[in-house]
Amino acid sequence: MNLDNIVIVLCHPDESRNVGAVCRGMANNNIHTLRIVGKREDYDDEKVRILAIHAAYIWENAEFYSSIKEATSDCVCAAGTTRRRGKKRGMLLLPEEFTEHAEQITANNGKAAVVFGNERTGLTDEELLECTLGVTIPSSEEFASLNLSHAVQIISYHLFRSTQKEYSGYTPITLERLDKTIKSITDSLKEIGFFSVTGRPQMENFWQNILSRSALSEGEAKYLEMIFDKAAGFSKKNKIQK
């Protein structure tokens, strides 16, 4: 994911402080391109900066447009965010589904825009028609409406997380590799005298059921093997001393 090719578009936001909070949420997730449908003079610069804090540079570099179509004209897609379904709203993607779509676009140096509506009304049907697809953030029916900056933060986080896969340090081991861990554990338990020869299959099934649900990493598998190996070593040492 090339986050430099992600464009956040705010369509006529009402509250200057929300614009500042959006800037901060974008900076948290390494996204820097902000476009606003509206006029800069309609917003209180001081109030924006109070909430933006060290992300005020995003506000300073924000570009202003007269329509969503104009703001997204150089983008490959324009994803309109909405929580309401309707005839004009089509199929709505979840944030993670949109992230996969955006990955393909930005990988080929295309720009992907995410469009957020006014705090009070959201995107109207007419504004959604200026978008190429819809994205929805599931929330409780008890209180479904999200604050503008929170919605931007959620979408931005999903996009940012896609850039962290290679740095997560976590790769679940295969079932073939898991079998080696289970053999190591049961070998150690047998050496300790934990079960008789006839009890080994049941013990292996037990560990298979437990560990296959755990999606162990290679490091975790090795750590388990080391624990049981040391336990078997201590047991053997105590037997010799006796």
Side-chain angles (χ1 to χ4, degrees):
M1 175 78 74
N2 183 356
L3 294 176
D4 289 335
N5 284 335
I6 296 296
V7 178
I8 300 297
V9 179
L10 306 183
C11 187
H12 298 294
D14 270 341
E15 177 56 57
S16 299
R17 290 173 296 181
N18 272 337
V19 175
V22 164
C23 292
R24 184 172 182 177
M26 290 172 62
N28 287 154
N29 295 288
N30 206 26
I31 297 173
H32 307 108
T33 304
L34 175 63
R35 298 176 182 178
I36 297 176
V37 179
K39 299 178 181 179
R40 185 180 289 273
E41 54 266 30
D42 290 337
Y43 302 97
D44 187 315
D45 184 79
E46 183 179 355
K47 289 182 179 179
V48 172
R49 291 176 183 276
I50 288 173
L51 268 292
I53 308 179
H54 298 301
Y57 65 91
I58 293 178
W59 162 248
E60 293 165 3
N61 294 324
E63 298 176 328
F64 290 77
Y65 297 86
S66 60
S67 67
I68 293 173
K69 186 175 181 179
E70 182 184 344
T72 59
S73 62
D74 62 338
C75 299
V76 176
C77 78
T81 56
T82 179
R83 66 180 177 84
R84 299 188 299 273
R85 296 182 181 275
K87 292 182 179 179
K88 296 183 181 180
R89 294 172 184 262
M91 183 183 72
L92 303 178
L93 299 180
L94 294 171
E96 53 269 31
E97 293 172 328
F98 170 69
T99 296
E100 292 179 5
H101 184 60
E103 276 188 293
Q104 296 176 353
I105 292 172
T106 61
N108 294 302
N109 209 33
K111 292 181 180 179
V114 193
V115 185
F116 297 85
N118 175 276
E119 295 95 320
R120 291 178 294 102
T121 62
L123 290 173
T124 65
D125 285 338
E126 290 71 25
E127 289 168 341
L128 278 168
L129 286 175
E130 295 186 69
C131 302
T132 58
L133 57 92
V135 180
T136 189
I137 302 171
S139 56
S140 170
E141 288 300 323
E142 183 178 336
F143 189 42
S145 180
L146 292 171
N147 175 274
L148 172 60
S149 65
H150 295 174
V152 173
Q153 178 75 267
I154 290 169
I155 296 292
S156 296
Y157 176 73
H158 276 277
L159 294 166
F160 175 73
R161 281 290 293 138
S162 72
T163 69
Q164 304 299 297
K165 293 175 183 176
E166 60 188 284
Y167 304 111
S168 65
Y170 174 74
T171 303
I173 61 174
T174 63
L175 291 175
E176 182 181 13
R177 173 65 181 86
L178 181 61
D179 285 341
K180 294 179 181 179
T181 297
I182 293 169
K183 183 179 184 303
S184 176
I185 290 174
T186 50
D187 281 347
S188 296
L189 289 174
K190 180 183 176 183
E191 191 171 337
I192 293 171
F194 193 81
F195 57 84
S196 66
V197 175
T198 56
R200 180 162 186 151
Q202 291 82 359
M203 183 61 65
E204 288 179 341
N205 286 336
F206 170 78
W207 286 106
Q208 180 74 37
N209 290 335
I210 294 292
L211 298 181
S212 62
R213 296 198 301 268
S214 301
L216 295 176
S217 68
E218 179 64 28
E220 291 168 333
K222 288 182 177 178
Y223 195 67
L224 274 175
E225 292 166 2
M226 180 193 71
I227 291 172
F228 282 92
D229 183 60
K230 281 192 173 183
F234 288 139
S235 176
K236 184 177 181 180
K237 184 178 179 181
N238 288 336
K239 287 178 182 178
I240 293 172
Q241 290 177 345
K242 289 179 181 179

